[in-house]
Every structure is written in C-alpha cells, then in structure tokens.
Amino acid sequence: MTDPSSCDSEAALIAGRWAEENLPTEDLYLVEFLGTLTVSLQKVVGGASVFILKMEVQCLKLLLFRLTHLNGQESHVQSTEALLRLVQSNQWTPVEALTLLAALTQNYAEDAPITEVLKLVHVYDISPEWTDDSGQPLIQALDFDPGRFQMDFRKALRRHDAGGLDSALAELKTLRNLDDPVTDMIKTATTRVLRYSENAPEEEPFLKDSFQSPNLDADSLLGSLHQLCRAVFDTKGWWPTVQHMLRWCVLLLTEKSRAPELLGVEEDPCVVAMFAATQVCMGNKLDIVLSSDVQAHERTQEWADFYTRLGISLSTNLERSTESQRDIYRADVVWTAPMDGFVSDYLQFGLEAMETGRPGLSRGSIVLVGSASHNLELPRLKDTDALLPAREVLQSLMGHFQSEDTALRHRFIKALFQVLHSNLNQHTHAENKIPAILQKWTGKDRPSNETYVLTVLEDLLRVFAGETEREESKASLAHKLCVWRFFFFRFFTSAGNVSQVSSEWTDKENPVSPEASEYH
C-alpha cells in the first residue's frame, strides 16, 4: 500500500494520476478501500435492483471526495461533479463511471477536457454500450486517438442526434396530439438550426426582438430557437439536442396563448431554462418551483451564466437575506424549493394587496412534477398571526389530497397556484359569496385577514371544481360530491361557525358526517 503503481484498481490509478505519484499511504488506503467497496456493492445490489441505490451513490460520493482532496488540495471538482451526475441520473453505474473516468485521466492531464467529455455523455444520454461509426466502444475510441477524440466524438453525437429527428417528432406528435402544420413548422425550425450549428460563427449578438412577434410563425419560431441554442452553446459549450429543441417548440406553441400559470411537467433543465428565457423575453416574469432546495441551488448555479448571457435577472427565495420579499420577486426569474416558500410569499402578497391596494406582482410559474407530492408545512407563516388560519386550512386540504390519485392531486396544486396568482392582481372579489354569507349570519364584518382566507378558499373551490369538471372521466360523481363537501365544510369551520353550518347544512338524506368535523 505504499506504492500507487502496485495497486491496479481504477480508483487507485486515478488517484496516482491526479496526485502525480506523490500519494500518501493513508490517502491510497482510503481510495483503495472505497473503490473496492464501490465494486462490491454493485456486485451485491446489481442482481436485486435495476436502479442505483442511495448507498451506492453515497459510497461513490465519498470516493470522489477523497480523489478531489488528495495531498490536502482540492482539484478536479468539475469533472467529478459531471461524473456523479451520470450516476445520479441512472445513466451509468458507479463502476462503469469509474472505468470511464480512469480512461479519461489516462489520456488527459487537465480537468477541462475530461469535464467536456462527461458533459457530452450526459447531455446526449450516451450509455456504456455506445459505439462510434466504426463500431468501437467509447473507451476504445478514446484510447485510439485522444487528440482527435473530442472533435470526432462531438461530430458523431451530433450526427446520430440529427438522424433521430423524424422518429422523435413523430413520437411527440402522437403524445401531444399535434396537427400537421404545427409539426411541419417545428421540423423546419429544428432542421435549420441543426444545419446552422454545424458552421456557426464564433461570436454572434443576441437579438431580443426575435422573441417579440405577436404571432409565432415559422420565421419567428426559427429566430427564437436559434438565439436560445446559440446562448446555450456560448455558455455551456454544447448545442441543445434534438429532444431539447422539439420539447421547447411544443411547450412554446401549446402555451403561446397566455402567460403560463402552472406547467405540470418534468422537463430537462435545458428545456426549462430555454422556455423560461423565452417567456421573460416575451414580457412574462416567472417563478420556477422545484421539489428540493438542493436541486434549486444546483439549477441556479448551473444556468446563471445562460440567463446572464440573455440579459435576464435571476434571484432565489431559498435563503432570507437583507432583501425584502418584493425585491426578490422583482427579478425576471425566481427559483424556489420546495413550494412552501412560494405559497407563503404569495399568500402574504395577496393579503397585502387586499389591505393596502398596492399593485400586486404579475408573474407566471413553472412547477415540476416532483413538487406536487410535497406536504405544505408553510413554516414562514408560523409567526404570521394574520395568515395562521390559511396555513392550517391549506395543510388540511393538502393532507386530504395526499391520499388521492396523482392526477387529482396535480389538479388541486394547479388550482392553488392559479388562485394565488390571480389574487395578486385583484383588489375586489365581487363574485365571492362566502364573506357575505358569514356577515349575514353573524351580523358583523369579518376581519380582513379572515375575509382574505375565505376568499382564497372560495376561489380555490371554484377553480378546482372547473378543473374536475373538465376531467369528467377521471372522477366519479360520488368522489366530486365528497370533494365539494370537504371544501364547503372547510370554508365555514375556518371562520369558527361549526354550529351554524351544522344546522344550516344538514338533512336527513345527506348529513354532515362526524368524520368531517375532525378537520376543524
């Protein structure tokens, strides 16, 4: 264990290369141990699970940490982060990833070319079974001619990617029910951008006007796609794939008629960034809500240069700073995770708009699917007495829908976001009946915060009921009646009128169930 050259494991070979053979015995021992453990875990787990387990990822993380901190110095951080991303996305197993990294370190002394190859493998979704045009596997092609490998690898990936345009578009056409004119427009724009990228100039100015056409015809779609792909290349070093371009086109064309309030999709980060940038250039500010704060931090750091390249301001509400909430949301794009922060902020903005008449915030929102299964803790409302009832009611509602099917839960989340956005720009709610009914029953005006909570709930019921009606085949009549009763009961019990409701809304055939009272 005193000589790296005597250890033939891939982890030890990487360590010896990165430490320039000046590797302390204790470092070599830890690297060898963690490398052996990584291989052993895969042998044990591989036959029992098709997925990479958390323990395997954690073991690889520990190994990569040791490899990037040899001799007390940090190095090769970008390449190891790119390698870890391959494993976390289930593209490569830890052992396969280590084999690839060992081959790269034997051919490249600098971190930059290693990182570039690993990013291309991730972006183009290259598997360990990939072969080039001559039938050589990735590692053999790398060893054959390291000097030309990057250029040849990039060309091979682009050529294969472009060859899959027709099949990918046909699949999207069926999945999203696209008509022929839209499909032809998407194909024309994507094909022309692919041709342009083969001989693109080194520098090109950004033309924001290409996004501002009122009608998205073929020329404006092409211009916007071209500008965005160029911005990705300038900041990331790779061109968006055919899938990236097609999915961006579909999102843009299906959402062009309105500012997006919620998109329940789980798209690639590149597609999300391109679509968000498009909406900002068209005059719509957006909030991007992810399922975890770690994910939001990573996305913010990864795509900050892309937004900067397009002149788009970026902010996050993940950590409270000296900035006010309103200052944070003045940015073009705001990242948040999980959705608790977003809901809390917008509830406070809505109450403020109702009480003061100050202009609200006009924003759209992107929500990835992972956020929809999250419980609403709303910790920021614990110390806000005025909105404490809203916190309790929304937690009860979310808890109820946690036990429902995914489609119904997503419709509830969609309705909640739509209401939160609309309330920012409405200072009067003429259609709302519940505050007026309570005033008639009690003979006195309700406090402004209570009126606001009831208004939000009534709007939520109205929007959610409309969404449910449009999904008639997915919800039985009995189920919808239960949902109506639940909402109705929550409106009034939140205002402390249980006895009044019980006497007014009870009949012999359909009494209020005792179980419903637990939500008070």
Side-chain angles (χ1 to χ4, degrees):
M1 296 297 296
T2 60
D3 180 12
S5 61
S6 65
C7 302
D8 58 359
S9 74
E10 286 159 342
L13 292 175
I14 296 169
R17 180 77 169 176
W18 284 358
E20 298 179 353
E21 307 304 331
N22 184 25
L23 190 62
T25 302
E26 58 269 24
D27 282 347
L28 179 59
Y29 175 79
L30 282 173
V31 167
E32 270 285 278
F33 171 76
L34 291 171
T36 303
L37 182 59
T38 300
V39 174
S40 300
L41 277 174
Q42 182 167 320
K43 288 180 179 179
V44 173
V45 174
S49 173
V50 296
F51 298 104
I52 298 169
L53 302 185
K54 290 182 179 180
M55 69 176 80
E56 295 182 89
V57 176
Q58 186 62 28
C59 183
L60 180 63
K61 283 183 178 180
L62 291 172
L63 174 57
L64 294 179
F65 178 82
R66 294 310 315 167
L67 289 173
T68 54
H69 291 79
L70 299 172
N71 298 322
Q73 297 180 345
E74 187 178 66
S75 63
H76 300 279
V77 173
Q78 290 186 330
S79 60
T80 52
E81 287 179 350
L83 186 81
L84 186 61
R85 193 175 294 119
L86 290 179
V87 176
Q88 290 174 323
S89 59
N90 275 292
Q91 290 175 285
W92 292 58
T93 67
V95 174
E96 291 168 341
L98 276 178
T99 300
L100 176 59
L101 182 61
L104 289 168
T105 56
Q106 293 304 306
N107 287 286
Y108 300 112
E110 301 295 327
D111 198 49
I114 298 175
T115 304
E116 182 178 350
V117 171
L118 292 174
K119 283 184 176 180
L120 290 174
V121 170
H122 175 67
V123 169
Y124 286 92
D125 195 18
I126 300 303
S127 72
E129 291 76 32
W130 179 88
T131 58
D132 62 13
D133 295 337
S134 61
Q136 284 186 315
L138 179 59
I139 292 178
Q140 289 184 15
L142 174 64
D143 292 336
F144 180 73
D145 190 352
R148 287 186 51 85
F149 173 76
Q150 284 179 275
M151 182 175 63
D152 293 342
F153 185 47
R154 189 186 297 273
K155 286 182 178 180
L157 294 179
R158 297 290 306 283
R159 187 165 53 251
H160 181 269
D161 186 50
L165 172 59
D166 289 338
S167 60
L169 185 55
E171 183 179 345
L172 266 182
K173 180 180 179 179
T174 302
L175 182 64
R176 301 299 295 267
N177 196 26
L178 304 176
D179 56 31
D180 289 338
V182 170
T183 305
D184 292 341
M185 185 164 61
I186 292 175
K187 181 176 181 178
T188 299
T190 305
T191 301
R192 291 179 63 180
V193 171
L194 286 171
R195 290 174 182 170
Y196 162 83
S197 64
E198 294 176 359
N199 299 291
E202 291 187 5
E203 295 185 5
E204 186 176 8
F206 170 61
L207 302 176
K208 191 173 183 177
D209 292 343
S210 62
F211 294 88
Q212 297 175 344
S213 173
N215 298 314
L216 275 173
D217 54 20
D219 289 337
S220 59
L221 184 70
L222 171 62
S224 300
L225 181 59
H226 162 227
Q227 292 285 330
L228 290 168
C229 290
R230 180 70 206 213
V232 172
F233 176 75
D234 288 343
T235 54
K236 305 301 172 190
W238 44 265
W239 288 88
T241 67
V242 164
Q243 283 286 356
H244 291 150
M245 290 186 270
L246 293 180
R247 292 186 177 278
W248 173 84
C249 288
V250 171
L251 277 179
L252 184 63
L253 293 173
T254 54
E255 295 292 328
K256 67 179 180 179
S257 60
R258 62 182 177 87
E261 290 171 345
L262 178 134
L263 296 177
V265 296
E266 188 166 10
E267 289 287 4
D268 184 275
C270 179
V271 178
V272 173
M274 290 171 62
F275 182 75
T278 306
Q279 290 297 325
V280 172
C281 291
M282 296 172 69
N284 303 316
K285 295 188 175 185
L286 281 92
D287 305 306
I288 302 179
V289 186
L290 301 180
S291 58
S292 72
D293 54 356
V294 174
Q295 189 181 41
H297 272 298
E298 291 175 350
R299 296 280 183 90
T300 303
Q301 294 175 355
E302 182 181 3
W303 290 94
D305 54 353
F306 169 78
Y307 291 116
T308 301
R309 171 72 175 81
L310 299 176
I312 294 173
S313 58
L314 184 65
S315 184
T316 174
N317 76 346
L318 299 176
E319 298 175 356
R320 288 307 187 206
S321 61
T322 55
E323 286 186 292
S324 69
Q325 289 174 312
R326 282 187 169 270
D327 289 338
I328 290 173
Y329 285 92
R330 286 192 177 98
D332 297 321
V333 175
V334 176
W335 292 80
T336 182
M339 68 182 187
D340 295 66
F342 174 88
V343 174
S344 299
D345 290 346
Y346 272 69
L347 281 171
Q348 291 175 325
F349 292 152
L351 177 60
E352 181 182 324
M354 174 180 280
E355 291 180 335
T356 67
R358 289 179 58 187
L361 301 173
S362 179
R363 303 184 68 87
S365 179
I366 295 177
V367 180
L368 304 190
V369 170
S371 298
S373 61
H374 183 72
N375 288 318
L376 281 176
E377 298 297 335
L378 303 176
R380 295 178 191 172
L381 299 185
K382 286 184 178 179
D383 301 325
T384 308
D385 293 338
L387 288 173
L388 196 57
R391 177 176 181 265
E392 296 172 351
V393 170
L394 289 176
Q395 282 181 328
S396 295
L397 287 171
M398 194 64 179
H400 172 74
F401 284 105
Q402 282 295 94
S403 62
E404 303 298 336
D405 62 272
T406 302
L408 190 64
R409 187 164 63 247
H410 286 178
R411 289 203 296 277
F412 172 73
I413 295 294
K414 182 176 182 179
L416 175 60
F417 275 63
Q418 185 175 336
V419 168
L420 290 175
H421 279 95
S422 63
N423 279 346
L424 292 180
N425 301 308
Q426 296 178 11
H427 306 310
T428 60
H429 299 265
E431 296 181 0
N432 293 102
K433 312 296 184 186
I434 304 303
I437 293 173
L438 285 179
Q439 184 182 24
K440 181 178 178 181
W441 279 358
T442 61
K444 40 181 155 177
D445 293 334
R446 311 304 305 176
S448 60
N449 66 308
E450 192 173 287
T451 300
Y452 172 65
V453 173
L454 290 170
T455 298
V456 169
L457 286 171
E458 186 176 353
D459 290 340
L460 184 55
L461 170 58
R462 185 181 297 111
V463 174
F464 179 77
E467 288 291 330
T468 305
E469 289 294 338
R470 284 191 288 272
E471 298 287 342
E472 187 75 26
S473 61
K474 295 183 181 179
S476 67
L477 176 61
H479 196 170
K480 284 188 284 186
L481 287 174
C482 291
V483 172
W484 272 80
R485 171 181 290 184
F486 184 81
F487 270 99
F488 186 87
F489 192 81
R490 288 304 305 158
F491 288 154
F492 295 100
T493 57
S494 67
N497 292 280
V498 180
S499 60
Q500 184 72 31
V501 175
S502 298
S503 61
E504 293 285 340
W505 190 46
T506 304
D507 58 59
K508 294 180 180 180
E509 296 181 358
N510 192 22
V512 177
S513 64
E515 290 79 12
S517 64
E518 70 181 82
Y519 291 107
H520 177 50

